[in-house]
Amino acid sequence: MAKTRDVAVFSTFCQSHARDVAFHAATGLLRAVFGIGVVDLDTARGRVRDLLPDAEPEDLHLLDDLLGISATDSGPSNIDADARRRRLMRLVKSVALARVAPTVYVIEDAH
């Protein structure tokens, strides 16, 4: 119904075997929002940067890691887990707030 009214709909689902993986459901939803489900890594990183042109490079590195699109030559980021969570949440919030059109986010089997 929402799509017939020009409302963007992004969805993901939870998997029971991944319930202990931090941000697993959020990662699926973000991959849908960025439109990087079946594209190569360079294209995926480009789409993320197009939607977040003002993001800090370190924050983009964290997001790339979360989304599974990090460049193969980029090493792991040495950042406290709580700081990582805060920075990622700030980025996710900025993406959500940047949308001016009505949007529906669906997470199936969230429990």
Side-chain angles (χ1 to χ4, degrees), residues 13-22 24-25 109 111:
F13 58 93
C14 297
Q15 299 170 331
S16 61
H17 69 276
R19 70 175 172 241
D20 294 330
V21 178
H24 183 72
D109 294 326
H111 36 89

Side-chain angles (χ1 to χ4, degrees), residues 76-87:
S77 181
N78 295 325
I79 185 170
D80 171 77
D82 190 50
R84 175 185 170 96
R85 180 191 54 78
R86 282 192 314 269
R87 290 172 81 167

Side-chain angles (χ1 to χ4, degrees), residues 19-65:
R19 70 175 172 241
D20 294 330
V21 178
F23 294 109
H24 183 72
T27 298
L29 195 58
L30 287 170
R31 289 182 65 83
V33 168
F34 287 118
I36 60 172
V38 293
V39 299
D40 63 84
L41 297 179
D42 289 331
T43 301
R45 285 190 296 273
R47 288 183 182 175
V48 168
R49 278 139 185 84
D50 287 346
L51 285 173
L52 296 167
D54 299 325
E56 296 292 326
E58 178 65 20
D59 290 346
L60 289 170
H61 177 72
L62 294 173
L63 187 58
D64 289 349
D65 183 52

Side-chain angles (χ1 to χ4, degrees), residues 50-53 91-101 103 105:
D50 287 346
L51 285 173
L52 296 167
L91 272 177
V92 169
K93 183 178 177 181
S94 71
V95 170
L97 293 176
R99 297 195 62 81
V100 294
T103 306
Y105 300 98

